[in-house]
């Protein structure tokens, strides 16, 4: 497959995912306040992949995107809380596709009985893939990196559902890079996103039923967006 063909397949996967997220009520339009204090015309809440069918479907999108990316890894890690069901579902789907990988996750509070500790599941080793919903500020990724390194493994890549492609904030101020850029360029991890804000804009612009939302999302992208 040529690079052009591969790009076309990935773009189609991204558009299909955006449509699925909207149809599932996971991606909504309105007036929402983000963690950075911005008023956003859209909101993505992966916690609403809240039944077996939706969780299984989103796992298919993650698995396809990961396999298409060519990223290699040895263990899947799902950070608490949203990363736990997402990571587990992705591990199941990859195994169904013939790529069986160990899976681990963490507790927010250390357990002081039984096996103890904060990590549950497979032993972290080699190259670790972190599976989460979005990267908002990079804080959760840094916490995962610390846990993974403390276990003697290597934080290698992050898989997310949506790259918002917007400026991060530091000390309450906008900076000219996104949280995804920060994780990739400063923390040195590969990042695989099923879809980006650009794919959402493509869908809003080309389908009549979604056109009323286009101007607000495009204006938000113009004000806060980064590539």
């Amino acid at each position: 497959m040529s690079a052009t063909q591969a790009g076309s397949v990935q773009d189609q996967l991204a558009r299909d995912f955006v449509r699925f997220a909207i149809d599932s009520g996971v991606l909504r339009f309105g007036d929402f306040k983000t963690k950075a204090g911005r008023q956003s015309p859209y909101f993505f809440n992966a916690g609403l992949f809240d039944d077996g069918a939706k969780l299984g479907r989103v796992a298919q999108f993650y698995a396809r995107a990961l396999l298409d990316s060519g990223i290699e890894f040895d263990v899947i890690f799902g950070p608490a809380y949203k990363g736990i069901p997402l990571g587990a579902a992705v591990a199941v789907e990859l195994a169904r596709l013939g790529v069986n990988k160990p899976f681990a996750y963490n507790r927010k509070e250390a357990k002081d009985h039984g096996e103890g500790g904060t990590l549950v599941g497979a032993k972290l080793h080699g190259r670790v893939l972190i599976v989460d919903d979005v990267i908002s500020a990079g804080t959760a990724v840094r916490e995962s990196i610390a846990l993974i390194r403390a276990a003697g493994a290597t934080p290698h890549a992050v898989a997310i559902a949506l790259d918002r492609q917007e400026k991060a904030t530091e000390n309450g101020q906008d900076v000219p890079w996104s949280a995804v850029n920060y994780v990739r360029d400063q923390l040195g991890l590969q990042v695989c996103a099923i879809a980006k804000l650009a794919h959402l804009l493509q869908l809003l612009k080309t389908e009549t039923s979604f056109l009323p939302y286009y101007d607000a999302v495009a204006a938000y992208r113009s004000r806060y967006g980064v590539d």
Side-chain angles (χ1 to χ4, degrees):
M1 182 183 297
S2 69
T4 300
Q5 290 173 319
S8 177
V9 169
Q10 291 165 355
D11 283 344
Q12 185 60 55
L13 180 73
R15 287 192 293 269
D16 289 346
F17 173 72
V18 170
R19 170 57 74 90
F20 165 67
I22 293 172
D23 290 346
S24 300
V26 171
L27 203 164
R28 299 180 177 184
F29 303 100
D31 187 20
F32 307 95
K33 190 170 185 177
T34 70
K35 287 183 179 180
R38 299 169 184 156
Q39 294 303 127
S40 173
Y42 74 99
F43 182 62
F44 181 85
N45 181 6
L48 296 176
F49 290 123
D50 55 6
D51 63 34
K54 285 184 282 191
L55 193 56
R57 184 74 176 119
V58 73
Q60 292 175 356
F61 281 108
Y62 270 100
R64 280 276 310 282
L66 280 166
L67 294 176
D68 289 346
S69 76
I71 293 173
E72 297 183 356
F73 56 92
D74 302 300
V75 182
I76 296 170
F77 176 72
Y81 289 100
K82 288 180 182 177
I84 296 175
L86 290 173
V90 171
V92 170
E93 177 61 18
L94 285 172
R96 190 185 70 81
L97 296 173
V99 182
N100 189 26
K101 298 291 184 179
F103 169 66
Y105 63 93
N106 69 300
R107 302 184 181 94
K108 285 288 189 179
E109 299 81 21
K111 187 177 179 183
D112 60 4
H113 60 282
E115 75 279 13
T118 59
L119 295 175
V120 184
K123 177 179 173 58
L124 293 179
H125 67 277
R127 301 160 299 180
V128 179
L129 169 74
I130 301 165
V131 176
D132 214 340
D133 56 345
V134 297
I135 302 175
S136 297
T139 306
V141 175
R142 288 194 295 270
E143 291 173 353
S144 296
I145 286 173
L147 285 169
I148 292 164
R149 286 178 174 163
T154 302
H156 182 65
V158 183
I160 57 173
L162 180 69
D163 178 358
R164 290 178 62 97
Q165 293 183 289
E166 68 180 72
K167 296 174 183 177
T169 58
E170 291 187 3
N171 302 315
Q173 300 296 316
D174 292 347
V175 292
W177 58 82
S178 71
V180 168
N181 294 150
Y182 173 79
V183 167
R184 181 185 292 120
D185 300 335
Q186 301 300 317
L187 301 182
L189 276 64
Q190 297 183 64
V191 178
C192 173
I194 302 172
K196 300 178 180 180
L197 178 56
H199 296 112
L200 170 58
L201 281 167
Q202 287 175 8
L203 181 67
L204 299 183
K205 189 174 184 178
T206 56
E207 297 206 16
T208 306
S209 59
F210 295 130
L211 197 56
Y213 307 115
Y214 175 80
D215 286 345
V217 178
Y220 186 84
R221 171 90 164 114
S222 178
R223 180 172 180 182
Y224 296 115
V226 296
D227 291 329

